[in-house]
Amino acid sequence: MSNAKLPSTVRKSKGDDIVVSGNQDYVTMTIADQMFGIPVLQVQDVLGHQRITRIPLAPPEVAGSLNLRGRIVTAIDVRLRLGLTGRPKDKPGMSIVVDLRGELYSLMVDSVGEVLSLTKEDFERNPATLDPRWREVSTGIYRLNGQLMVVLDVPRLLNFTTIETA
Amino acid sequence: MDDLLSEFLTETNENLSVLDVELVRLEQNPNNPELLSNIFRLVHTIKGTCGFLGLPRLEKVAHASENVLGKFRDGELTINPEAVSLILQALDTIKSLLAVLEATEAEPPGDDLPLIERLNLCAEGKLGASAPAAPAPVAAPPPAAPAVAAAESRPATLDELEALWNSIPGPNDPPPAPAVPASTAVVARAPEPVEEPAPSQDLVVPDAEPVAAKMPAPVAPAASGGNSGGADAGAEAATKESAVAAQTIRVNVDLLENLMTMVSELVLTRNQLLQILRSQKESEFAAPLQRLNHVTSELQEGVMKTRMQPIGNAWAKLPRLVRDLAHELNKKIDLQMLGADTELDRQVLELIKDPLTHMVRNSADHGLEIPAERVKAGKTETGRITLNAYHEGGHIIIEIQDDGKGLAIDRIKQKAIQNGMASEGELASMTDQQIIQFIMKPGFSTAAKVTNVSGRGVGMDVVKTNIEKIGGTIEIKSAQGKGSTFVIKIPLTLAIVSALIVECAGERFAIPQISVVELVRAASDSEHTIERLKGTPVLRLRNRLLPLVSLQQLLRLDDSEDAKKPADETFIVVTQVGTYTFGIMVDRVFDTEEIVVKPVAPILRHIEMFSGNTILGDGSVIMILDPNGIASATGEMAMGEAAGKETTAVQTQRQEDKMALLLFRAGEGAPKAVPLSLVARLEDVDLATVEMSNGLPVVQYRGKLMPLVPIDPNFVVASEGRQPVLVFADGDRSMGLIVDEIVDIVEEKLNVQLAAERPGLMGSAIIAGKATEVIDAGFFLTQAYKDWFGSSAQEGFEEEKLQRVLLVDDSPFFRNLLTPLLSVAGYDVTAVENAGDALALCEAGEDFDVIVSDIEMPGMSGFDFAEAVRHGSRWQRIPMVALSSHASARDLDRGRIAGFNDYVAKFDRDALLFALQQTLTDQKGAA
């Protein structure tokens, strides 16, 4: 991961001025063998396996809450949010902590990969045929070498009012 | 001091300090537009606030300064030291005015014309480089003026000020008086007699503040000669800034909150360390940890204090309020406030402000009698309301006491019956204490008439809700003729609470200690055992039955992992919410812990079982249970876990209120429901005793034959076994409806969504999350006795002719529900679906004895209908009863005004029948 981070930080100083370059940095992750990405600036932390307190009566996607250096973080099982089956018990998984309007959420994924810097040319809108549940939480797709990366829209991923209707 | 004023002083003093610095910087870089606009903005703010607070003198000075600055900004004037000095001088004037304001809470009288004039001249560009020329027209400070140009700004302005002030009269003169002698003295010396010298003399500080004491300046020895304050005093005045500003700093609340969080973390870490220490016998860390312990505690206390405010802040408006009330109500009221300096958390303070105001208002309006009455009762003319606040344990107790007439139990009873909250029989068996509780119910107001002050029906229930929201309780004591006392108990702070940690199904939860009354261990070997009433657990506690709530069921926890707990041992947390006491069943109880309440994430806010979450000493996150939420959930929810609460979100249609429904299964298809109020009893019939009569199955029941009617016409009654039966009864007749299984009783909003085609079925509704068929009880009644409605009426009301009722309700469901109900009760019912149809009947010459009308109807509302009936229609003397799901006092009064004789809550069959009977009797009596 460290080798990937270096260029990204270099680029950030450039990109901070104006986003003309069209390059965006994404933290990648894998869920059920599919690669996803979240803009690096939205990511606060990457965690390994954590002890989670279950929250009774919460929506099924809410796995529970955990203590991150004194702040209570709500853990979201992204698999369930995306309409996939729950993670097998024997795999510990990892979490990406994001901030949404001052609240911290930990997105539970299978694994977290490197940070990629991607150009606009490889970006594409969601195919119209994509599962509506995925289309709902994704802003688009990046064509990478050998695989596709789905860009997750964090606010929409955490907008639980849409879940009930879905 | 007035909050607003002191805030203004603090803020303005801050701004002035900034201005001082900025102006000097501006002088050094005159071409910095950013600096200039910042200065302009600050002065503008000061001007604006002064205007807002009604401080004309300050406003004028600020306005003149702003003008000059405006010219600078627009480039019409160049920035030069003279002009800057002049502005600084204006600022100093403002400062001195503020000093007076701070000391006396009032702006000194007079104005600052000379200064303003110079500022205006400056704005017109006439002051420019020829500074010494400019002051010429100015009266008071001529000698000092040249100095402005020459000297550097600060001392120069001091001189200026002294010059300005030097005509001030003796400091001991009362502020309004000095004008005459002082101004004559100055006028005599002033070069321009036209000029009003009065301006400067008015910086009077009555309490001999040194501001007024001046150097014996050449102009006005007469005024200040006798003063020995001297130069030091003058300097002091300038440097003193403001006592208010110096003693307080303004800190963003977020910063404090952040600090609080950090300290909470520190506390938790310390707790962890202490826990580790306990397990080690000898440790070199012991001493430093002890020290850390102390420091942390003190730090925590200190930070907590930053959030604390005296409760007096919430009381500040009360004396005025009470005074006005006394005036308005022609009462004599003495308001005593004790313990105003008792401190509590800012957040809590905000939340109790309104409830407190409301209760004091109540005491003044309802509680205290008018002087004549008081004298008659042998009391002093002046009624007394006492507010008392003090600490007790981790709580604050606030008492609101009046020595008035006490709560009128009879009136409360009367009102409770009227509002259909209780029947006379129920009331008779209640203690006074229980009856008093009714005043906390929504829509309850005993004020005979709605006054400007209170009696609008939004009252104690709101107070109670607000107080319970912050985890507080409210208690009422009342003695007839002696007065009443309200005791509010609220937690000191919402941020840190003491909580009991319990475990259930392997999960830990915190219960706020304030609502925990006691802990009971129930096991097979202890004196307390849990007993069950049709599956509902209860506990005998000191000869009382305590309803129990299983936390596991409530939170739908499955104890798959932690099945190891001894099943025969349960702990019961006896919890009190208001006057409702219940037990929460948990598996284990740990100790109590001080916890920092943090709000739950927004996506979890809808779960009302939790009031927050927190991090325990061991670093794990734990949910905090909300006893209020549990109480309201269990009060309405049947124990079965099937009773989902999801449906509430779906049903947003108007006029649906909750009603008790009996859920059962019978025959094929969806579960069925019938309003519980129609069912007399539930019976379990031994099928062996069923006989056939007249082709119908009957059973001997209470010495009579009761026909049994199956819901499904093809149902064949088995010859043995037992069968649940719903018994509908009227007078001495009863009928049994055979069902397969009684499922549950739920409180739900009944919203019939699909009308049914089949006879015997009213339609389908979502009940407990499932599509449920609502049966038409009337249909089955006529199946048993063809003449059910007619005959019962004949029997019950033989001696008089049938009373004719006109029922107006837009909902077919209610028409179907109420028609059989009223028919059974012996009324001849005509139902129409809207007010228009009803009025058409009136036109058609129909006559009724009483009209029952819904309020919320499309088109013409119930109120309009009543008004139409009352104003000139043929029916204007027919009594009318309003029927509504919103039986608040306001509606009630509105109904009365519109012409309704009575007002009944929907779904309350007894109340409706009672009201009808009452209304008809009244009518007969009147006729």
Side-chain angles (χ1 to χ4, degrees):
Chain A
M1 202 148 81
S2 58
N3 59 343
K5 227 171 201 165
L6 199 61
S8 76
T9 46
V10 171
R11 196 174 313 276
K12 205 187 287 169
S13 57
K14 211 203 281 175
D16 265 354
D17 294 333
I18 295 169
V19 205
V20 165
S21 66
N23 267 22
Q24 272 265 30
D25 298 337
Y26 290 93
V27 175
T28 62
M29 58 200 146
T30 326
I31 304 163
D33 298 326
Q34 169 65 51
M35 191 195 251
F36 288 89
I38 292 181
V40 77
L41 289 177
Q42 295 180 16
V43 174
Q44 293 248 331
D45 249 300
V46 174
L47 306 174
H49 180 67
Q50 296 280 323
R51 189 172 66 169
I52 288 177
T53 304
R54 282 194 295 162
I55 303 174
L57 307 178
E61 293 85 353
V62 176
S65 46
L66 55 98
N67 172 7
L68 177 69
R69 294 189 291 276
R71 288 193 63 179
I72 295 176
V73 180
T74 310
I76 308 293
D77 192 329
V78 183
R79 270 177 169 259
L80 295 180
R81 180 68 180 95
L82 294 174
L84 304 167
T85 55
R87 191 159 29 86
K89 278 225 164 14
D90 51 319
K91 282 196 191 160
M94 291 177 84
S95 293
I96 293 180
V97 179
V98 294
D99 184 316
L100 181 70
R101 291 184 282 274
E103 293 280 338
L104 292 185
Y105 295 88
S106 149
L107 306 176
M108 294 166 64
V109 298
D110 292 358
S111 63
V112 177
E114 51 186 7
V115 175
L116 295 180
S117 182
L118 302 171
T119 64
K120 266 264 180 290
E121 288 97 70
D122 294 331
F123 184 76
E124 226 169 278
R125 296 199 166 278
N126 288 321
T129 48
L130 190 68
D131 181 309
R133 223 173 161 157
W134 283 38
R135 206 163 24 167
E136 155 83 41
V137 298
S138 154
T139 44
I141 313 286
Y142 273 102
R143 295 182 309 267
L144 305 185
N145 252 348
Q147 58 182 336
L148 299 172
M149 187 189 88
V150 180
V151 180
L152 287 180
D153 183 287
V154 173
R156 275 196 260 164
L157 188 72
L158 296 174
N159 181 3
F160 276 66
T161 52
T162 58
I163 291 182
E164 270 104 73
T165 56
Chain B
M1 190 182 292
D2 187 9
D3 277 355
L4 206 58
L5 190 61
S6 89
E7 220 159 274
F8 162 74
L9 284 175
T10 322
E11 184 185 294
T12 310
N13 275 315
E14 265 170 36
N15 284 347
L16 286 173
S17 317
V18 175
L19 276 173
D20 270 348
V21 177
E22 300 266 276
L23 272 171
V24 173
R25 276 178 62 198
L26 181 71
E27 201 172 11
Q28 285 154 4
N29 345 278
N31 297 321
N32 186 339
E34 210 169 289
L35 206 55
L36 187 57
S37 64
N38 191 30
I39 292 170
F40 182 78
R41 192 179 47 77
L42 287 171
V43 174
H44 182 78
T45 309
I46 294 173
K47 183 191 90 169
T49 354
C50 294
F52 176 70
L53 287 171
L55 302 167
R57 190 166 164 187
L58 275 169
E59 187 189 353
K60 276 183 199 142
V61 177
H63 178 74
S65 318
E66 188 191 341
N67 276 348
V68 177
L69 288 167
K71 299 269 164 147
F72 284 162
R73 195 183 54 171
D74 302 340
E76 290 177 29
L77 276 182
T78 48
I79 295 161
N80 56 48
E82 291 78 26
V84 171
S85 304
L86 193 57
I87 305 252
L88 281 170
Q89 188 186 328
L91 293 184
D92 287 340
T93 308
I94 291 175
K95 269 187 214 164
S96 56
L97 285 170
L98 286 176
V100 180
L101 194 60
E102 192 185 329
T104 67
E105 297 186 29
E107 205 177 30
D111 52 39
D112 307 274
L113 277 180
L115 178 67
I116 292 168
E117 192 131 324
R118 282 180 61 207
L119 283 166
N120 287 346
L121 280 175
C122 179
E124 284 158 30
K126 290 176 189 159
L127 194 69
S130 57
V138 181
V148 178
E152 69 171 287
S153 63
R154 199 58 192 233
T157 47
L158 258 183
D159 289 348
E160 274 293 309
L161 277 174
E162 278 156 11
L164 272 166
W165 288 335
N166 57 16
S167 52
I168 289 169
N172 293 324
D173 289 10
V180 183
S183 56
T184 44
V186 177
V187 168
R189 284 157 187 279
E192 260 88 25
V194 201
E195 272 304 320
E196 254 310 325
S200 10
Q201 98 222 102
D202 299 312
L203 290 163
V204 177
V205 184
D207 56 352
E209 274 289 296
V211 188
K214 284 300 130 231
M215 252 194 335
V219 182
S224 56
N227 197 295
S228 56
D232 298 348
E236 196 187 320
T239 51
K240 208 180 77 143
E241 297 274 313
S242 152
V244 174
Q247 279 167 15
T248 57
I249 52 165
R250 290 150 65 83
V251 180
N252 197 323
V253 177
D254 284 347
L255 182 66
L256 284 182
E257 295 290 320
N258 218 344
L259 209 57
M260 185 75 207
T261 322
M262 298 313 291
V263 168
S264 310
E265 283 320 302
L266 188 63
V267 170
L268 294 180
T269 318
R270 174 203 62 184
N271 291 354
Q272 268 170 287
L273 282 174
L274 288 177
Q275 216 149 17
I276 296 170
L277 187 69
R278 250 175 255 143
S279 61
Q280 292 177 341
K281 282 212 180 83
E282 298 266 321
S283 168
E284 54 186 312
F285 294 120
L289 268 181
Q290 210 53 45
R291 179 110 189 90
L292 178 71
N293 186 6
H294 285 302
V295 173
T296 312
S297 300
E298 250 162 65
L299 185 62
Q300 184 188 2
E301 212 170 290
V303 173
M304 292 285 292
K305 261 193 204 143
T306 61
R307 296 166 53 103
M308 293 299 198
Q309 285 190 326
I311 194 166
N313 286 5
W315 291 353
K317 287 197 194 117
L318 294 179
R320 169 73 192 276
L321 179 101
V322 169
R323 192 207 75 92
D324 289 356
L325 274 181
H327 232 68
E328 202 173 308
L329 301 165
N330 283 324
K331 291 180 182 177
K332 291 189 178 167
I333 306 173
D334 175 24
L335 178 71
Q336 289 208 334
M337 300 193 286
L338 307 171
D341 51 357
T342 311
E343 294 197 317
L344 75 170
D345 195 287
R346 230 185 93 244
Q347 207 183 345
V348 182
L349 195 74
E350 279 306 309
L351 288 167
I352 61 157
K353 217 181 225 173
D354 288 345
L356 273 182
T357 312
H358 184 88
M359 287 166 76
V360 169
R361 198 182 275 174
N362 260 355
S363 290
D365 190 21
H366 304 311
L368 296 177
E369 315 92 324
I370 54 171
E373 256 178 69
R374 289 186 63 88
V375 172
K376 218 189 281 171
K379 299 184 203 174
T380 53
E381 266 196 359
T382 310
R384 173 181 294 174
I385 299 173
T386 312
L387 282 173
N388 189 10
Y390 54 91
H391 287 268
E392 194 182 90
H395 301 123
I396 287 209
I397 315 283
I398 305 168
E399 289 175 358
I400 298 136
Q401 194 173 5
D402 67 67
D403 64 348
K405 52 184 181 282
L407 294 168
I409 303 281
D410 291 339
R411 281 252 290 288
I412 298 175
K413 279 188 187 168
Q414 206 182 324
K415 196 81 181 181
I417 295 172
Q418 222 170 62
N419 286 9
M421 289 168 176
S423 71
E424 215 153 325
E426 282 168 344
L427 286 175
S429 62
M430 285 187 187
T431 62
D432 282 2
Q433 192 60 39
Q434 280 171 305
I435 292 168
I436 289 176
Q437 299 303 328
F438 276 113
I439 67 166
M440 306 279 202
K441 293 266 160 64
F444 199 95
S445 173
T446 54
K449 58 179 196 295
V450 176
T451 65
N452 192 11
V453 182
S454 46
R456 291 188 208 132
V458 269
M460 291 305 293
D461 63 311
V462 180
V463 170
K464 187 176 177 233
T465 326
N466 277 359
I467 288 172
E468 280 175 3
K469 214 184 275 167
I470 53 174
T473 57
I474 177 164
E475 210 179 293
I476 315 168
K477 295 177 205 155
S478 170
Q480 200 78 38
K482 293 217 178 103
S484 38
T485 308
F486 294 80
V487 182
I488 303 173
K489 185 178 176 186
I490 41 177
L492 207 54
T493 169
L494 299 183
I496 294 194
V497 299
S498 171
L500 184 71
I501 313 295
V502 299
E503 188 186 271
C504 183
E507 300 283 338
R508 287 188 295 172
F509 299 96
I511 304 177
Q513 192 80 46
I514 185 172
S515 34
V516 176
V517 182
E518 61 180 317
L519 288 173
V520 179
R521 174 176 168 271
S524 48
D525 61 340
S526 82
E527 58 174 314
H528 296 289
T529 46
I530 295 172
E531 294 167 79
R532 286 181 188 270
L533 287 174
K534 199 180 182 298
T536 309
V538 290
L539 179 82
R540 270 189 239 200
L541 186 66
R542 287 186 289 276
N543 298 326
R544 284 278 183 109
L545 271 192
L546 183 75
L548 296 183
V549 176
S550 163
L551 198 58
Q552 190 174 337
Q553 276 184 32
L554 192 69
L555 300 180
R556 287 180 230 151
L557 295 167
D558 45 318
D559 53 348
S560 51
E561 295 158 44
D562 273 66
K564 60 177 190 289
K565 54 131 187 171
D568 59 340
E569 193 186 51
T570 308
F571 289 93
I572 291 151
V573 183
V574 182
T575 311
Q576 187 170 20
V577 174
T579 50
Y580 175 45
T581 309
F582 61 100
I584 301 173
M585 291 159 64
V586 298
D587 298 343
R588 283 168 73 187
V589 174
F590 301 96
D591 54 355
T592 57
E593 220 171 295
E594 296 276 301
I595 56 172
V596 184
V597 180
K598 304 184 180 201
V600 292
I603 53 168
L604 303 172
R605 297 258 157 89
H606 65 279
I607 309 176
E608 54 183 22
M609 302 301 164
F610 304 121
S611 58
N613 49 13
T614 192
I615 298 173
L616 286 185
D618 63 2
S620 58
V621 180
I622 182 170
M623 303 301 293
I624 303 166
L625 293 172
D626 179 5
N628 287 315
I630 294 178
S632 59
T634 52
E636 286 159 16
M637 200 171 107
M639 288 313 292
E641 51 270 81
K645 298 190 70 69
E646 299 85 27
T647 47
T648 45
V650 186
Q651 303 190 340
T652 48
Q653 265 176 305
R654 69 191 178 87
Q655 61 107 295
E656 254 67 34
D657 216 326
K658 290 195 172 171
M659 65 190 296
L661 293 167
L662 181 78
L663 291 186
F664 59 93
R665 291 192 172 277
E668 293 292 299
K672 298 183 172 50
V674 64
L676 187 63
S677 55
L678 297 177
V679 180
R681 281 180 295 278
L682 303 181
E683 290 290 344
D684 216 12
V685 174
D686 185 354
L687 291 178
T689 63
V690 174
E691 300 160 70
M692 293 300 279
S693 162
N694 199 13
L696 276 173
V698 293
V699 69
Q700 291 185 21
Y701 182 68
R702 299 192 175 185
K704 303 242 167 163
L705 281 181
M706 177 172 81
L708 296 179
V709 180
I711 290 226
D712 184 353
N714 305 321
F715 181 80
V716 181
V717 181
S719 57
E720 54 187 74
R722 301 189 76 85
Q723 190 80 30
V725 164
L726 314 183
V727 179
F728 296 85
D730 173 52
D732 54 359
R733 282 181 155 193
S734 37
M735 173 277 239
L737 190 63
I738 302 173
V739 300
D740 294 344
E741 184 196 359
I742 292 166
V743 180
D744 209 343
I745 293 170
V746 292
E747 289 254 334
E748 279 277 358
K749 287 180 178 166
L750 186 58
N751 181 10
V752 178
Q753 297 182 332
L754 297 170
E757 297 292 307
R758 265 194 294 156
L761 221 54
M762 219 170 256
S764 302
I766 300 171
I767 296 168
K770 285 186 189 151
T772 306
E773 294 172 345
V774 181
I775 67 155
D776 176 4
F779 173 80
F780 294 102
L781 296 178
T782 50
Q783 290 249 303
Y785 297 99
K786 296 276 174 327
D787 57 346
W788 179 287
F789 294 133
S791 70
S792 67
Q794 273 159 22
E795 278 169 23
F797 293 81
E798 267 169 343
E799 71 279 13
E800 41 192 285
K801 75 172 178 49
L802 236 49
Q803 305 272 19
R804 300 195 59 195
V805 176
L806 174 63
L807 173 66
V808 189
D809 197 316
D810 61 308
S811 141
F813 171 72
F814 279 103
R815 287 202 306 274
N816 289 340
L817 179 76
L818 291 175
T819 308
L821 177 79
L822 293 173
S823 306
V824 167
Y827 296 97
D828 177 7
V829 183
T830 307
V832 293
E833 65 179 284
N834 57 47
D837 288 4
L839 290 174
L841 284 178
C842 174
E843 294 290 307
E846 294 271 347
D847 266 314
F848 297 94
D849 294 302
V850 61
I851 300 170
V852 176
S853 172
D854 188 14
I855 295 298
E856 294 93 15
M857 290 187 289
M860 191 187 254
S861 82
F863 295 129
D864 297 340
F865 172 53
E867 267 162 29
V869 168
R870 287 288 176 253
H871 289 105
S873 97
R874 212 164 43 76
W875 287 348
Q876 54 180 308
R877 301 203 50 196
I878 298 179
M880 297 183 74
V881 176
L883 199 62
S884 174
S885 35
H886 305 297
S888 78
R890 193 179 309 199
D891 295 329
L892 216 119
D893 288 316
R894 208 178 142 199
R896 287 260 151 73
I897 292 163
F900 283 108
N901 300 58
D902 210 339
Y903 204 102
V904 175
K906 258 184 189 175
F907 316 111
D908 192 338
R909 138 175 123 147
D910 293 335
L912 175 61
L913 294 178
F914 181 78
L916 281 179
Q917 207 184 336
Q918 201 65 29
T919 315
L920 287 168
T921 328
D922 287 355
Q923 189 73 5
K924 228 178 278 163

